[in-house]
Structures are given as C-alpha cells and as structure tokens.
Amino acid sequence: MNSVDKDYRFMATNDLISALQHEYFKLDDESEKKVVNTVMGLLEDKNGEVQNLAVKCLGLLVTKVKEKYVEKIANSLCDGMKSSSEQLRDISSIVALMTREHPFAGLKTVIADIAFQSQLAVLLCKLIVSRLLSVIPTAQDPSVQLEALDILGDILKKYGGLLSDHHSNVQQCLISQLTNSRLAVRKRATIALGQLVICNNNALFTELMRHLVAELKQNRSLSTTRTYVQCIATISRQAGHRIGNYVDTLMPLLFSFSLQQDDDEFKDYCLQALESLVLRCPKEVTPYVMKIVEICLQYLKYDPNYNYDSDEDEDMEGEDDIDEDDDDDQGDYSDDDDVSWKVRRAASRCIDAVIRSRPELLHEFYRNVSPTLISRFKEREENVKSDIFSAYVTLLRQTRTLATVETRVDAMDEDGIVTTNQSSTLIKDDKSPNSMLQGQVPSIVKALYRLLKDKSIKTRQGCFSVLSEVCLVLYGSLNSHMASVMPGIVYSLSDKSSTSNMKIDTLLFLQCVLTHHDSEVFYPHIDVLVPLVIDKVSDMFYKVVSEALFVLQQLIKIMRPLDGNKPNVTRYDMHARNIYKSTVGRLETADIDQEVKERAIMCMGHLICNMGDILQNELRNCLPILPDGIQLLSSFLRKNSRALKLSSLTALNVLVRKFGLVMNNQLCDDVFSEIPLLINESDLHVSQNLKSVITSAFLSSSEEIKSAASFALGNVAAGNLEEYLPFIFKEIESESKKQYLLLHSLKEIIVCQSSHSTAVQSLAPYVSTIWNLLFQSCEKAGGEGIRNMVAECLGKLTILDPENLLPDLHNHLTSNSSFVRCTVVNAVKFAISEQHHQVDLKLKQYMGDFLRSLEDADPNVRRVALVTLNSAAHNKPSLIKDMLDAVLPSLYDKTIIRKDMIREVEMGPFKHTVDDGLDIRKAAFECMYTLLDTCLDKLDIFQFLNYVEEGLKDHYDIKMLTYLMLIRLAALCPNAVLQRFDKILDPLRATVMVQVKALAVKQEFEKQNELKRSALRALTSLMKIPDSDKSLQLSEFLQQINSNPAISSMFETIKNDESGSGSFIHTEYK
C-alpha cells in the first residue's frame, strides 16, 4: 500500500477490502494503528482510483478497529472539511454522504451497522456534529458551509434521535444561517431544520416557531422573509402535525405576503407553504380554505408576460387551421427572467391539495374552481398545464367517489363491460356536483378540442385523462360531443411519431368512450376507427396489441349488437373480415404473449357471436366443432365424476336449446341414448311421494341433507302453491324441531315467487297468512337461528308489497317483546338489496325510526341495529347519508368498552371474564369500516381516528378489524393518519413486541402470531404513506423489529407477499 507503483497500491487496497469483509478478520493493536494510518494517507493519493478505494475501505475498517481509531478517522475527516485542498474536502463529504450510493462506503454506513448495539454510534454522531457546528459558522469558503450543512442534514435525518443533547446547539446554528448572505446556504439550513423538527422536543420546537413567526411579522427584508416562508413550508412538510397550533398565526401573514409582494419567487414560496399546510393540517386550516382557493384562482391566471386574448374568440371549427396555429398554441414566447410559471404551477398544486382534502366542498369547487381550471387548459407552459390537468382529474375523481348519486344498475357481460345503453340516473338536484359537471361538459370539450391534436404527447395524454374521468363520472356525457372528440383520437392513432405509451393511452381512452356511451353515436365514425385499430393489432409492442384487441371487441358489439337493434350488416362486412384476418394472424403466432392470446380468443368469440352470419366461408376453418363437441359431451355422461356429468348436462342443455333445430338425427340419438342411464326407478318413486320423502329427510343426521331437503321443498312448493303452502303452514305451527327447516323452505318460496310479476300475483292471496305466521314464530322463545330466518322472510316479503307491509313492520318496533323488536330491525337488513327497488323510497321514510334501535335497552337489538346500519351503508348509502350526523355519535358510543357489560364466571377453581359487549363493539367497528368506503365525505376523519386508536387496544377481534381499517385509512386519508402516527404506532408496537407466556397453549401462540402478522400488514401500509419515513417513532419501531429475529423474519415474509402491490416508501425498506 506504500508502493511507488499506483497499480500495487490499488491492488493492495482492494485485497484489504476483501479481507475486511470477512467476519474472521482480526487485527492486533500495532496492526490497527498501521493500517489506519496507511488508509488515511491514501485519501491524499495522487491517483483517483486509489482514493476511491481508500474511501470504500474506511467504511469497513471502522467496524474492525477500536473506538480510539474510529475517533481518529472521524476527526481527520472533519479536519478535511476545513482543508484548503478542495480534493480533501471532496473526500470528506464523499465519506459522509456516500451511503446513499454504496452499502459499504462512508462513515455513516459504519454508524448504521453498529447503531443501537454499542455506544460507538452515539459517540461518532456527537463527535461529528460537534465538529460540524464549529465549521458551519466560521468557514470562509461557502462550499465548505454547503458541504457541512448537507452532512449535518443527512445525519439529523437518520440519527437525530441520538443527538438530543446537541439539538439546542444545532438549532441555534441553523437559525443563524437563515440570514446568511448566500441563498444556497440559507436553503441548505432550511432543509436541515426540516430534519431537526422531526425529532427535537416541544420546547425547542416552540422556540423555533416563535422565532420564525416573530421574524415574519417584522418582515425586515424581502430576501430573509422569503427564506422564513420557505422554512415554514419545509417544517410543515416534515412535521405538519406539530405546526397545527400555529396555523391561526401563520395564515394571515401568508395571505398578506402572497397578495402584497411583487416578487414571483416569493409568491411561489407562499403558495407552497399554503399547499403544505392544507395537506398536513387539514383540520386547523378549515376556516381558511375558501380564502386559499380565492388566492390560488387569482394566481392560476397570473401570466403578465403573455397575452391570451387572441385565443379567446377561436371556435372549434376549421380543422385545416389547427396545424398552422399549433406553434402559437405552444407559446413560443421565452424569457429566462420570467418565473411567473412557478406561481401558476404552485397555485395549481395548491388547488389540487385543497380538492383532495376537502371532498365536502365539491359544490363550491364546481361553482368557483372548475370554470377557472377549464379556462386554464390553454396554459402555455407544458409542466404547468400538466398540473392543471392533474387538479381537474382530482376534482373528477372526488366527484366519482364521493358525490351523492343514485347510480343506475348496469347490465354487465362476462368481461365486466356495460352492455346497457341507458344514461346515469342522477339525483334530481340541479346543484349536485354531477349536475353541475354535466352543465360544464361543453366547456371542457371546447377547451380540449384543439389540444387533442397538439404536437406534445404529454398534453394529449392529459386531455385523454380528463375526458376519461368525465366519462366515468357521467355515463353518456360525450354523446353530443363525439364529433369534437373523435378527431383527437384519430390523430393520435394515426400519428407515426406516437410512442407506445401514447398509443396505449389512446386505446384505453377509446375503450372508456366506447363502453360509457350509446352505440348510435359511434356509427358515423366506424369506418375511420376500425382500420386504425386493426393497424395497432400488428404493433410490435404486446401491450398495444392487447389493448387494440380489446377495443375491437367493443367495436364488434357496436357494429352488430345482440339486442335486436341491428344496423345494416352489409355496411360492415369488410370490417368483419379484416378483423377476422388480424385476429387469426395473432392466434396463429407461435410465440404469442399470454395476455394477447386471451384477448385474441375473446375477440374472435365476440366476432363469431355477433357477426358470424357474414363470415360463413371463414367459419368453416375455425368452427368445425359442433358435431364433435356434442359427441364428446355425450360420452362424458358415462364417466364416474358427478361434477363432470353435471357440467356436461348443462353444456348439452345450452347447445340443444340454441342449435336443436340444426342438429341431425345422429347427434340427437347420441344424446338421448345416454340420458336413460342417468334415471332409475327410485327417481320415479320420489316424484310420486315428494312430501313424505322430503320431510323424512329433515330427520337425517347430516346437516347437508337437511339443508338440501329444505331447499327442495321450497322450490317444489313454488310450482304448486295450493298444494304445498297449507302443508308448510300446518307443519310450522306444529313442529318446533323442524321449524327452522320449514321456515327456510318458506323463504325459498318467497324468493322464487318474487322473480316476476305473475309469480308475485300468485303469492298475493297467501301474504297475510305468511306475515302473521312469521310474527307468531318470532314471539316464541326459539333460537336466534329461527328468528334470523323469520327476519329474512319478513324482509323478502316487504320488498314484494312495501306500501302495505312496511308500515306494519314499522309498527312492531314498539312491541314489548325484545325478540319481536330484534326480528323487525333484522328484517330491514334483508329488505335492503344492491338492486334498486320501489321499497327504497318508502324505506328511507322509516329508516330514522329503525336506526333509533341503536339505543334500545336490549343489547341484542342494539347489535342487530348496527348490522342493519352496516348493510344500508354497504348496499344503499343514500338511505342513511342524510341522517349520519345524528347516527354517528351513537355508533361511536358502541365502540367503547362498558364495564357494566363485563362479568366474571366461576368455572371450578378458576374465574373467567365474559364481555357481553364484545359483539356490539365488533358490529360497530365493522360498520365504521364500511362507512369509510361509502360515506367518507360525511365523516370527520379526525374524530373517526379517535375511536380507531382506542380499538387498537381492545380485544383480539377488535384489533383485527382496526388493522384492516388502518390499511384502508392509509390509502384514503394518508395525511390525517400521518398526523396521528405516534398514537397509532404505540399500540401496534405493543402488539408486535408482546411475549407470549411460556406455559401458554398452542392455540394462544397461533392466535398471537396471527395478530402480529395483521399488525405488521397494517405497518407496511403505514410505511407507504409519503413522508412516513420522517417519523422517529417509526424508525425506532423498525429497529426493534430488526433486533428480534422471529419478528424480523415474519415482517420480511409479509413484505415479500405484498411486494407485488407497490414499493415501500420508507428508505430502510426500499
């Protein structure tokens, strides 16, 4: 290593690195001293490659030598910061910062390797920080200050918790640099302060905020005030939950600065600070939201160096002029000193943040924000335009997710595609977000018309993104605008310069348009679209081919629908043959991608199904299968497998019903010859004595046989009500042991008879008898299973005649019998279905009274009321949304542990605790979870989180539910969860790190391990929240996990299982 030959020095150093990587490598005292001195000397080597190896070697060497030599290395590196040699300063900064690139290089890697295992990490951190604090204020060379601040910020980010003794000095040092004459130094000091506020104590944080607020109020100079505003934004981003108490003081100052200053950079910083506060302190910022919106809308139009007036009067006609004016639309005006675009960008991002965090203000957004965003689609700067598109997409997604809409029930085909051509049915409210959006669709289309043929791919992708969301929110929204939208689609599909991503985005948008609009609007464009899409089937990229084949499926359904409304088929015969050729070409490719193969098969299936009659010649090559298929299915009837026989019979039934007229005698004989073998004499005997055979099966020891018998009796009775209903009534009144099975049969009758209007009329004469019989059954002291079946029968009957039966059901709420009240509330649950029905309007009138059962004196009634509320929230949220303000307090109250419902039961010499309120709490938390999906806009998420936090400390079953809720909350409301991170992590840590008693039974070990796995799954979701890695508590929790081999292994398994769902944000687990 001391050779004069640089090659020898390089190889020797490399050999040392290899040796240091082995655990067995040891050095004696004398060797340690020599090696350290030699490696430190190589940092000044004239050869750059040798220097780089020396830097790498240091990171390994300090894990092998004694602490005194580690201190020597650290001191030497810190001295290098002050060196007049630029080369040495670079080496010092590389050693400190290189951990970002290489796992073995740098002093910080050494600290990470030994952190929390010895005092060496603490010693090194304190040593380095002490030296940095002496360098930063005194360094004459600005580059030294910048490097030192970078290193300090990086150390604070990872090891700030180890430096609590130095936090005060670090803070004072950084505050002093906020007034440095160099802007770059002030910016680095601001970044370092952002890392410090994550881990400093409340006293220091308060001191820092008071200083910043005082300086902002004094506003001594534009330059320093701008830095303080930037510092506020940084602190808010890093530790937003801590700055909430200062929002009322900061907001007036930020408003004043943003409106009074003429400096564009200053306005940008103010808007960034407002955006950060909106996201990090959503509750505290509530009174100022509309003022923030007002300021953002003002600056969204702020472009003093460009005149848009020339574009205002241009209409959407004259396509020939578009290409000529393209350059004007791009805004070729350029001025290096013009930074007004930063103001507009910050305003659009702040608007986006407000929309994301305030779904309850959708009406105001459509009234004030939407028109301005639409008018700014003409923005000349592409990056700003992209942010404006993003803000509008956020508005549309909030509308799709949270707006109060009575959505139509679409018929879906096997691909999940809408097959009905009816438009969405909105609430009849001209002020609803959907109605307001419907009125603004013409403006959106007009604003995007020219941009759809823009040369910029990014702009066109933004246009398709906006229009796709419009289609998803409002079915048929572009029906009257298709002539304006289609040229843009054609342009992107025919543009030879389009990238693969542009082609995919265009095809995805075309899919969205085709599946969310009436077929008739596409007929004028079929001749243009089909050849372009067919051309994409031969594309080189498999994903483009796959999406093109899927689009062809939709075009086939439009050209030849199966609903009887068939256009002139001969118009499209050439298109059908071209689609056939392109699809067959893909199917014949040997190395076809699996996704392409599946899409090609589906496309061919739709083509044959919809347009097979005009492809007679082609079908001879691909469909010689009907005779062979029937013969093969017939042979399957002789197999032993019952499942295979049933599937074969089902397939034969479909084929015979559809193609029976074209089947020859031989094919019919093949089928009929096999059928008699499946029938025997006992089957004929059963048909003559059905009642006795079925009811005798009720006495079977097999639960499956009894259930099948009950099902059979109900379905047989549905075909002969006069014969079987009196028999069933009599049996219910006399047979208590068979009552559950008989009630199940009665339920099957009601379900069968509700399938069509004629069947409902045939059941009508018996409804009154059934109704009275059901209430008599629920008043008897039968089991809960019987009462549940009675409730289901009552609910199904109510759907058939809501005008007469629902009021009577409501009247029974006042019954003195808790069994009756419980059954009535439960029946409401079964009256609520996913499909829309006339019972819904009537049910909404009584829903408030039914939900008052949440306060019933009987705990079973309260539990059933919670289940009914959950059902309504899941299937028909519109039934309960308007009354949630009154219901939520009662719901939250049911999540609290009640000591008066906990009792002790003596079991021999032992005492066992029984919690009678557990089922109620479980039902309450289940309901809360459902409300997250369907009624998020009606929830105060911070109040909601209060009860989730308590649930994290509850019983095993409750914990499992709250872990699922945390996963959902982390995705829906990440900023609110981030504000409560500390309170959420503590109970998670307690669960994960708990030790099961050595004498515990196997079931207890398994139960605790499952609980730990669920808690760790919730933790992985929390780690995906942006900025979660800045939580000191999370870092400490992860270090505890890593220090426990069993928990660490469990955590790694969970992360690997979820790796397909996205990467983790936390730096330790990227």
Side-chain angles (χ1 to χ4, degrees):
M1 293 174 71
N2 293 319
S3 173
V4 294
D5 191 325
K6 68 179 188 304
D7 292 333
Y8 284 174
R9 297 196 304 275
F10 180 89
M11 289 187 291
T13 307
N14 195 50
D15 289 342
L16 178 59
I17 289 173
S18 298
L20 289 170
Q21 290 175 348
H22 294 288
E23 294 182 5
Y24 61 80
F25 185 81
K26 302 291 182 182
L27 290 170
D28 56 37
D29 289 346
E30 188 62 27
S31 299
E32 281 188 7
K33 181 178 180 180
K34 289 181 179 180
V35 171
V36 169
N37 289 335
T38 303
V39 175
M40 293 300 296
L42 290 177
L43 293 177
E44 302 183 47
D45 197 282
K46 294 180 180 179
N47 185 272
E49 292 181 350
V50 175
Q51 282 185 350
N52 290 338
L53 276 183
V55 170
K56 181 179 179 181
C57 186
L58 279 178
L60 294 168
L61 185 60
V62 291
T63 63
K64 301 292 185 179
V65 299
K66 295 181 176 61
E67 291 186 7
K68 62 181 181 180
Y69 294 115
V70 177
E71 291 183 46
K72 180 178 180 180
I73 293 172
N75 280 321
S76 177
L77 292 172
C78 290
D79 289 338
M81 295 290 298
K82 300 180 181 180
S83 173
S84 59
S85 168
E86 183 178 350
Q87 188 180 46
L88 282 180
R89 292 202 309 270
D90 289 344
I91 290 172
S92 298
S93 61
I94 288 171
V95 171
L97 298 174
M98 203 170 174
T99 57
R100 299 169 183 169
E101 304 296 333
H102 199 287
F104 300 110
L107 182 59
K108 290 181 62 182
T109 299
V110 176
I111 299 174
D113 289 341
I114 59 178
F116 302 101
Q117 297 177 15
S118 71
Q119 295 298 316
L120 184 56
V122 179
L123 178 65
L124 286 176
C125 284
K126 291 183 177 180
L127 175 62
I128 296 171
V129 170
S130 297
R131 299 297 297 274
L132 290 175
L133 292 180
S134 66
V135 170
I136 292 171
T138 59
Q140 299 299 317
D141 189 339
S143 62
V144 174
Q145 285 183 306
L146 294 175
E147 289 169 359
L149 286 167
D150 267 341
I151 296 169
L152 179 60
D154 210 35
I155 291 177
L156 286 171
K157 180 179 181 180
K158 280 194 168 182
Y159 311 104
L162 300 174
L163 303 170
S164 56
D165 294 342
H166 289 274
H167 284 174
S168 180
N169 293 333
V170 171
Q171 183 165 297
Q172 291 303 318
C173 176
L174 293 175
I175 287 176
S176 67
Q177 297 306 308
L178 294 178
T179 55
N180 193 289
S181 59
R182 290 181 62 85
L183 179 61
V185 173
R186 298 205 300 266
K187 186 173 182 180
R188 303 285 176 88
T190 297
I191 294 171
L193 271 175
Q195 304 302 335
L196 178 63
V197 296
I198 297 173
C199 55
N200 66 354
N201 59 43
N202 289 332
L204 285 176
F205 184 80
T206 300
E207 179 184 329
L208 172 63
M209 289 304 302
R210 286 177 178 172
H211 173 79
L212 294 176
V213 170
E215 291 295 328
L216 286 173
K217 288 181 177 178
Q218 292 182 21
N219 191 17
R220 297 177 185 179
S221 71
L222 176 62
S223 179
T224 56
T225 302
R226 185 166 59 187
T227 298
Y228 289 128
V229 170
Q230 190 178 20
C231 191
I232 291 292
T234 301
I235 292 173
S236 176
R237 280 191 291 270
Q238 301 288 4
H241 60 286
R242 303 186 72 181
I243 206 173
N245 294 332
Y246 300 90
V247 167
D248 290 337
T249 305
L250 291 171
M251 279 300 177
L253 294 171
L254 293 174
F255 290 157
S256 175
F257 294 147
S258 62
L259 294 172
Q260 294 178 8
Q261 297 293 341
D262 294 329
D263 185 277
D264 288 347
E265 292 277 4
F266 197 6
K267 293 174 182 175
D268 177 30
Y269 291 157
C270 289
L271 289 169
Q272 286 185 41
L274 290 174
E275 177 195 359
S276 181
L277 290 170
V278 165
L279 290 174
R280 298 293 186 267
C281 308
K283 187 174 184 179
E284 293 82 356
V285 86
T286 299
Y288 307 99
V289 168
M290 296 315 298
K291 181 64 175 178
I292 294 172
V293 170
E294 179 186 339
I295 292 172
C296 289
L297 293 180
Q298 176 181 336
Y299 284 127
L300 198 62
K301 299 178 286 188
Y302 176 73
D303 196 355
N305 298 314
Y306 190 80
N307 182 15
Y308 291 92
D309 291 342
S310 59
D311 299 330
E312 293 295 330
D313 298 329
E314 292 189 7
D315 54 28
M316 301 190 320
E317 299 176 358
E319 290 186 29
D320 296 337
D321 298 333
I322 290 177
D323 292 334
E324 298 176 10
D325 296 339
D326 243 5
D327 293 338
D328 295 335
D329 290 339
Q330 292 297 322
D332 285 341
Y333 172 81
S334 177
D335 187 349
D336 293 338
D337 295 330
D338 179 22
V339 293
S340 63
W341 64 271
K342 292 185 178 181
V343 180
R344 300 194 299 278
R345 181 187 63 182
S348 63
R349 291 179 176 177
C350 189
I351 283 286
D352 192 315
V354 172
I355 295 171
R356 266 189 289 143
S357 60
R358 298 290 163 181
E360 71 276 9
L361 297 176
L362 276 175
H363 175 267
E364 287 297 321
F365 294 154
Y366 273 105
R367 191 167 63 88
N368 297 324
V369 178
S370 178
T372 303
L373 286 174
I374 293 171
S375 70
R376 292 305 305 167
F377 288 167
K378 63 186 177 185
E379 168 63 47
R380 62 190 175 96
E381 289 286 344
E382 187 171 76
N383 289 333
V384 180
K385 186 187 298 181
S386 177
D387 285 328
I388 293 172
F389 284 151
S390 178
Y392 204 81
V393 167
T394 300
L395 177 63
L396 293 170
R397 287 176 179 168
Q398 291 286 60
T399 308
R400 179 156 56 102
T401 305
L402 301 172
T404 305
V405 181
E406 287 293 342
T407 311
R408 63 190 174 89
V409 181
D410 293 321
M412 298 285 180
D413 65 9
E414 64 273 18
D415 301 322
I417 303 301
V418 179
T419 57
T420 179
N421 60 356
Q422 298 175 356
S423 298
S424 299
T425 304
L426 306 176
I427 288 180
K428 296 181 179 179
D429 179 7
D430 293 337
K431 295 183 179 180
S432 71
N434 290 71
S435 298
M436 298 179 76
L437 172 60
Q438 184 71 63
Q440 294 175 11
V441 168
S443 301
I444 295 173
V445 175
K446 182 176 181 180
L448 296 178
Y449 175 71
R450 298 175 65 83
L451 299 178
L452 284 168
K453 301 181 72 172
D454 196 279
K455 291 180 180 179
S456 167
I457 289 177
K458 191 175 181 180
T459 296
R460 279 184 275 154
Q461 288 174 322
C463 294
F464 288 148
S465 178
V466 170
L467 290 173
S468 295
E469 290 297 329
V470 171
C471 295
L472 293 173
V473 176
L474 297 173
Y475 181 87
S477 55
L478 301 179
N479 276 340
S480 57
H481 306 284
M482 205 56 66
S484 300
V485 174
M486 203 55 67
I489 298 175
V490 171
Y491 178 82
S492 289
L493 287 176
S494 57
D495 184 11
K496 301 299 182 182
S497 63
S498 289
T499 63
S500 294
N501 285 338
M502 185 71 250
K503 295 174 186 175
I504 292 171
D505 287 344
T506 306
L507 290 168
L508 287 173
F509 172 62
L510 184 53
Q511 289 175 28
C512 183
V513 171
L514 292 172
T515 55
H516 288 80
H517 292 83
D518 300 334
S519 299
E520 291 78 8
V521 302
F522 299 107
Y523 293 150
H525 310 286
I526 292 291
D527 293 335
V528 178
L529 283 177
V530 173
L532 289 173
V533 178
I534 290 176
D535 180 63
K536 297 300 174 286
V537 174
S538 59
D539 195 272
M540 297 297 293
F541 186 40
Y542 82 95
K543 194 66 178 175
V544 175
V545 177
S546 174
E547 300 304 335
L549 287 167
F550 194 75
V551 170
L552 285 178
Q553 294 180 40
Q554 314 313 318
L555 288 170
I556 290 168
K557 296 176 188 178
I558 290 171
M559 289 188 288
R560 184 72 179 277
L562 297 179
D563 58 2
N565 299 320
K566 301 180 181 179
N568 186 1
V569 179
T570 56
R571 251 193 79 191
Y572 303 126
D573 58 350
M574 185 58 66
H575 292 324
R577 291 186 175 89
N578 289 336
I579 293 173
Y580 175 84
K581 291 177 183 178
S582 64
T583 307
V584 166
R586 278 297 172 182
L587 288 173
E588 291 175 345
T589 304
D591 58 346
I592 189 173
D593 181 84
Q594 181 65 25
E595 182 180 345
V596 174
K597 182 190 296 184
E598 292 175 358
R599 288 281 174 88
I601 292 172
M602 291 300 299
C603 184
M604 182 62 75
H606 283 291
L607 183 64
I608 294 171
C609 178
N610 293 57
M611 309 183 79
D613 56 338
I614 59 175
L615 295 171
Q616 296 295 328
N617 295 331
E618 289 81 358
L619 293 185
R620 293 194 184 111
N621 298 324
C622 70
L623 274 187
I625 62 170
L626 185 60
D628 295 340
I630 291 177
Q631 291 174 358
L632 184 63
L633 289 170
S634 300
S635 68
F636 287 162
L637 297 177
R638 295 191 295 271
K639 302 295 182 180
N640 292 328
S641 172
R642 177 181 173 84
L644 179 60
K645 288 180 181 179
L646 290 173
S647 299
S648 300
L649 283 170
T650 303
L652 285 170
N653 185 39
V654 172
L655 289 171
V656 171
R657 288 171 61 186
K658 194 161 188 177
F659 303 106
L661 295 178
V662 297
M663 288 174 60
N664 57 41
N665 293 335
Q666 181 60 46
L667 288 177
C668 294
D669 290 342
D670 290 340
V671 176
F672 295 148
S673 64
E674 302 293 341
I675 298 298
L677 300 176
L678 302 177
I679 304 173
N680 55 40
E681 293 183 5
S682 61
D683 296 323
L684 300 175
H685 172 73
V686 167
S687 66
Q688 297 173 356
N689 303 276
L690 274 178
K691 289 181 186 178
S692 59
V693 170
I694 293 176
T695 53
S696 63
F698 285 177
L699 303 176
S700 171
S701 59
S702 169
E703 292 297 326
E704 291 184 358
I705 292 177
K706 288 194 286 188
S707 178
S710 175
F711 178 83
L713 178 60
N715 282 270
V716 169
N720 192 351
L721 295 178
E722 292 183 0
E723 174 69 21
Y724 281 90
L725 266 182
F727 167 74
I728 292 175
F729 293 160
K730 182 179 179 181
E731 291 291 311
I732 290 176
E733 290 175 345
S734 61
E735 293 284 347
S736 59
K737 292 182 179 180
K738 300 178 184 177
Q739 194 171 41
Y740 178 84
L741 296 171
L742 292 165
L743 287 169
H744 188 276
S745 300
L746 187 58
K747 186 223 26 173
E748 291 299 329
I749 294 173
I750 297 170
V751 171
C752 290
Q753 297 303 109
S754 62
S755 58
H756 52 86
S757 57
T758 304
V760 172
Q761 292 175 1
S762 65
L763 183 66
Y766 305 96
V767 167
S768 178
T769 304
I770 296 174
W771 189 261
N772 294 329
L773 181 64
L774 289 172
F775 273 108
Q776 292 173 15
S777 299
C778 78
E779 289 179 354
K780 298 177 183 177
E784 185 176 355
I786 291 177
R787 291 196 295 276
N788 283 338
M789 189 54 66
V790 169
E792 187 168 359
C793 292
L794 288 171
K796 302 295 184 185
L797 269 181
T798 302
I799 294 176
L800 300 183
D801 187 11
E803 290 292 332
N804 296 316
L805 299 182
L806 191 57
D808 189 61
L809 191 69
H810 174 262
N811 292 336
H812 280 84
L813 274 177
T814 58
S815 172
N816 293 327
S817 169
S818 62
F819 290 159
V820 172
R821 298 198 305 274
C822 187
T823 304
V824 166
V825 177
N826 203 8
V828 176
K829 177 186 73 174
F830 293 105
I832 300 170
S833 63
E834 294 182 0
Q835 289 75 30
H836 291 284
H837 198 278
Q838 60 179 350
V839 72
D840 295 345
L841 294 176
K842 195 76 175 176
L843 191 58
K844 191 169 185 178
Q845 300 175 15
Y846 295 104
M847 203 65 193
D849 292 337
F850 287 125
L851 292 182
R852 289 193 185 95
S853 299
L854 289 169
E855 302 300 329
D856 196 279
D858 187 272
N860 284 326
V861 178
R862 297 199 298 270
R863 179 184 58 79
V864 171
L866 287 166
V867 174
T868 300
L869 175 60
N870 190 13
S871 176
H874 177 74
N875 295 304
K876 295 280 178 57
S878 58
L879 291 177
I880 51 102
K881 268 194 173 184
D882 294 340
M883 57 189 72
L884 274 183
D885 289 342
V887 171
L888 283 175
S890 182
L891 171 63
Y892 292 148
D893 181 63
K894 303 301 178 292
T895 66
I896 300 172
I897 298 175
R898 291 180 55 177
K899 293 183 179 179
D900 61 321
M901 298 190 73
I902 299 176
R903 54 193 170 89
E904 281 191 349
V905 178
E906 292 187 1
M907 302 177 67
F910 304 103
K911 289 186 177 180
H912 179 63
T913 302
V914 177
D915 186 351
D916 293 326
L918 178 59
D919 288 341
I920 293 178
R921 297 202 304 280
K922 283 173 60 177
F925 277 105
E926 287 170 357
C927 190
M928 288 174 63
Y929 181 80
T930 302
L931 290 174
L932 277 179
D933 278 335
T934 59
C935 302
L936 183 61
D937 56 325
K938 295 293 185 179
L939 302 176
D940 180 339
I941 206 63
F942 293 98
Q943 183 186 23
F944 190 92
L945 278 169
N946 290 336
Y947 296 95
V948 174
E949 290 164 10
E950 292 302 315
L952 292 170
K953 309 167 191 173
D954 206 322
H955 184 271
Y956 170 87
D957 294 337
I958 305 297
K959 286 181 180 179
M960 296 292 280
L961 281 169
T962 51
Y963 295 152
L964 293 174
M965 293 169 71
L966 277 185
I967 294 171
R968 195 81 183 102
L969 283 164
L972 293 173
C973 316
N975 298 318
V977 174
L978 196 60
Q979 283 194 271
R980 301 291 188 87
F981 231 48
D982 297 348
K983 293 183 178 179
I984 290 171
L985 288 176
D986 285 342
L988 280 181
R989 191 202 312 253
T991 297
V992 171
M993 306 311 297
V994 69
Q995 295 291 330
V996 183
K997 294 179 180 179
L999 298 178
V1001 296
K1002 180 182 177 181
Q1003 289 83 349
E1004 183 63 23
F1005 277 103
E1006 293 175 350
K1007 188 176 181 181
Q1008 286 300 323
N1009 282 337
E1010 183 56 36
L1011 195 61
K1012 290 179 181 181
R1013 280 191 288 269
S1014 297
L1016 290 173
R1017 289 188 194 99
L1019 180 61
T1020 59
S1021 296
L1022 296 177
M1023 289 166 58
K1024 294 176 186 177
I1025 297 177
D1027 298 330
S1028 63
D1029 57 312
K1030 296 167 185 173
S1031 168
L1032 181 61
Q1033 286 78 4
L1034 178 58
S1035 297
E1036 292 176 351
F1037 188 8
L1038 294 176
Q1039 287 153 9
Q1040 282 185 285
I1041 291 174
N1042 290 333
S1043 65
N1044 187 314
I1047 301 297
S1048 179
S1049 175
M1050 186 185 296
F1051 193 35
E1052 288 299 323
T1053 302
I1054 290 170
K1055 288 189 298 176
N1056 292 335
D1057 291 343
E1058 297 188 359
S1059 60
S1061 61
S1063 60
F1064 294 103
I1065 299 299
H1066 199 280
T1067 54
E1068 295 290 334
Y1069 294 95
K1070 279 186 178 180

